């Protein structure tokens, strides 16, 4: 009787939005994690153009996968498992990664696992810290999503609340676009806000009537645009720095309000902050301060792992595989936009 070989190497692919990424991941760590950003392509439009994103994924995916294998020092023949982001994201972009992963898994007759992009973001800090204690309260903040999750144990995701309108990253991007500061807006705002007086401008925010953990950022965006108009602010205005610092601080406060509330109700053992906006230093600091106030450790991925990346997809796929091994290539695996 031949014993089945234990899987050792997994290739993960992520194309949910505007990063083309591939990673070779072992059960206990990442061998490579290539991230190719499309920022330059979308920058002239001040936001991601879905059609351009999917076309760019088609152009670059084979190169990105080849580079991930080269950096890991392995060949496709050695890959035992495949994983791919199934959703949520831009449907055209998702389909590129999904078709590519299916093709490889089918040809090499290996299992293929579909992974949820948001759950993968929550996995990112585990790549750098094995000992994150459960239950976990996780705040995911990106260009397309703003959600709060409670995880009683690994792989159990309870969505406590999400944004009812704009995502926090989208709010930053739109205000930056309005001021013609460039794209993506979050990092530009962070750079230009440095040293600004964050108490200079006050944003009057509409209160959400229902209880719960949902977020709303469209009111904050409107309030920001109102202040910009009333004060005649523009990219070279002397109060721009103070305005951006105040705005950034308000975004952080709006995000942390729900975290604070959930801390009181759910009593987690650890806090996680993740997603593209988690690169923001002010938010990282405020988040850790909040945790520290409750004597709780906060885990925030290093900036590179906050960005969409296949490493986190591979790490989650391993956990899913170990919990429920699959042995076939599921060619019916479909992408979901939301
Ligand atoms: P993602 O959707 O996870 O790919 O993240 C992209 C979003 O993160 C965009 O809305 C960016 O503006 C935002 N972002 C990236 N870096 C920063 C930063 N340093 N501060 C605030 N937002 C950021
Ligand atoms: Mg992105």
């Amino acid at each position: 009787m031949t014993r089945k070989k234990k899987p050792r190497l997994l290739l993960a692919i992520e194309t949910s939005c505007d990063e083309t990424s591939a990673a070779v991941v072992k059960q206990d760590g990442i061998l490579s994690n290539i991230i190719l950003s499309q920022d330059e392509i979308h920058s002239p439009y001040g936001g991601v153009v879905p059609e351009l994103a999917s076309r760019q994924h088609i152009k670059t995916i084979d190169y990105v996968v080849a580079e991930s294998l080269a950096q890991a020092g392995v060949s496709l023949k050695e890959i035992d498992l495949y994983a791919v982001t199934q959703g949520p994201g831009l449907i055209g972009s998702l389909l590129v990664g999904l078709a590519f992963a299916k093709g490889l898994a089918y040809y090499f007759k290996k299992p293929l696992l579909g992974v949820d992009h948001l759950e993968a973001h929550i996995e990112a800090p585990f790549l750098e810290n094995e000992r994150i204690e459960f239950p976990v309260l996780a705040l995911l903040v990106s260009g397309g999503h703003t959600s709060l999750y409670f995880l009683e144990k690994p792989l159990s995701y309870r969505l406590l609340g999400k944004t009812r309108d704009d995502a926090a990253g989208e709010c930053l991007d739109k205000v930056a676009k309005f001021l013609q500061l460039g794209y993506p807006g979050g990092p530009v705002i962070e750079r230009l806000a440095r040293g600004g007086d964050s108490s200079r401008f006050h944003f009057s925010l509409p209160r959400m009537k229902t209880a719960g953990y949902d977020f709303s950022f469209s009111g904050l965006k409107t309030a920001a645009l109102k202040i910009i108009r009333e004060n005649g602010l523009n990219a070279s205005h002397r109060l721009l720095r103070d305005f951006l610092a105040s705005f950034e601080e308000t975004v952080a406060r709006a995000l942390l309000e729900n975290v604070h509330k959930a801390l009181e109700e759910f009593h987690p053992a650890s806090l996680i902050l993740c997603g593209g906006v988690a690169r923001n230093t002010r938010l990282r600091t405020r988040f850790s301060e909040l945790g520290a106030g409750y004597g709780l450790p906060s885990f925030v991925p290093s900036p590179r792992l906050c960005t969409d990346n296949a490493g986190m997809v591979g790490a989650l796929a391993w956990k899913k595989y170990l919990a429920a091994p699959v042995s076939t290539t599921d060619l019916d695996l479909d992408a979901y936009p939301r």
Side-chain angles (χ1 to χ4, degrees):
M1 195 178 83
T2 52
R3 257 190 48 202
K4 231 177 143 211
K5 181 178 148 241
K6 261 199 189 163
R8 203 177 64 84
L9 293 172
L10 181 150
L11 177 72
I13 292 175
E14 150 71 40
T15 60
S16 65
C17 187
D18 62 340
E19 271 87 27
T20 317
S21 181
V24 178
V25 186
K26 290 198 302 182
Q27 201 183 312
D28 58 356
I30 293 193
L31 295 181
S32 66
N33 192 10
I34 306 298
I35 308 168
L36 187 61
S37 160
Q38 302 178 357
D39 279 354
E40 263 176 49
I41 286 164
H42 303 291
S43 173
Y45 306 95
V48 177
V49 183
E51 190 54 38
L52 294 182
S54 45
R55 276 189 232 166
Q56 190 62 15
H57 286 307
I58 292 173
K59 281 190 198 160
T60 58
I61 183 124
D62 55 349
Y63 160 77
V64 170
V65 168
E67 189 59 27
S68 73
L69 293 165
Q71 263 197 26
V74 303
S75 72
L76 273 177
K77 280 191 204 135
E78 295 172 79
I79 300 295
D80 306 303
L81 290 171
Y82 289 87
V84 65
T85 303
Q86 244 185 305
L90 302 172
I91 192 71
S93 292
L94 288 164
L95 285 171
V96 177
L98 196 67
F100 202 86
K102 274 185 191 175
L104 287 173
Y106 182 70
Y107 180 81
F108 288 101
K109 299 189 174 60
K110 300 290 173 180
L112 171 66
L113 287 97
V115 165
D116 182 278
H117 177 74
L118 305 180
E119 294 174 5
H121 267 300
I122 297 173
E123 198 58 33
F126 289 88
L127 287 166
E128 297 169 318
N129 294 282
E130 280 162 35
R131 297 183 185 284
I132 301 180
E133 223 181 293
F134 285 83
V136 165
L137 184 65
L139 175 65
L140 162 66
V141 202
S142 72
H145 300 92
T146 303
S147 309
L148 188 63
Y149 289 88
F150 182 66
L151 289 79
E152 183 72 49
K153 55 184 199 298
L155 301 180
S156 88
Y157 306 89
R158 175 169 167 200
L159 179 66
L160 301 181
K162 61 184 171 52
T163 184
R164 295 185 170 194
D165 36 63
D166 291 349
E170 194 178 351
C171 178
L172 291 161
D173 292 340
K174 283 181 178 166
V175 168
K177 184 178 179 181
F178 194 74
L179 285 164
Q180 296 183 311
L181 300 178
Y183 172 84
V188 186
I189 289 177
E190 162 147 47
R191 181 166 50 80
L192 295 176
R194 223 164 272 152
D197 174 4
S198 64
S199 61
R200 174 104 201 188
F201 289 93
H202 177 73
F203 294 77
S204 46
L205 301 178
R207 289 270 139 214
M208 274 206 293
K209 292 202 182 64
T210 49
Y213 294 98
D214 278 350
F215 300 85
S216 168
F217 282 93
S218 73
L220 175 53
K221 180 187 66 193
T222 309
L225 300 191
K226 187 161 171 269
I227 294 177
I228 292 171
R229 283 204 197 91
E230 282 174 1
N231 293 272
L233 299 180
N234 56 41
S236 53
H237 198 284
R238 69 184 171 83
L239 291 179
L240 182 75
R241 190 171 302 276
D242 293 346
F243 167 75
L244 293 179
S246 308
F247 177 54
E248 203 185 42
E249 186 72 41
T250 310
V251 170
R253 236 182 17 195
L255 286 167
L256 295 196
E257 206 168 306
N258 274 348
V259 179
H260 196 166
K261 220 164 74 179
L263 272 171
E264 297 281 348
E265 184 179 342
F266 292 95
H267 310 291
S270 315
L271 296 178
I272 283 176
L273 172 67
C274 56
V277 183
R279 296 172 72 107
N280 185 270
T281 307
R282 193 187 298 267
L283 178 60
R284 296 168 85 90
T285 307
R286 295 287 175 269
F287 190 81
S288 300
E289 284 169 356
L290 177 62
Y294 281 80
L296 293 175
S298 311
F299 298 92
V300 191
S302 54
R304 193 170 184 271
L305 291 177
C306 290
T307 303
D308 297 339
N309 70 90
M312 65 188 194
V313 173
L316 178 56
W318 265 118
K319 271 194 189 166
K320 289 180 71 169
Y321 179 83
L322 294 172
V326 286
S327 55
T328 54
T329 315
D330 179 6
L331 291 181
D332 290 333
L333 209 64
D334 216 349
Y336 52 87
R338 53 185 86 246

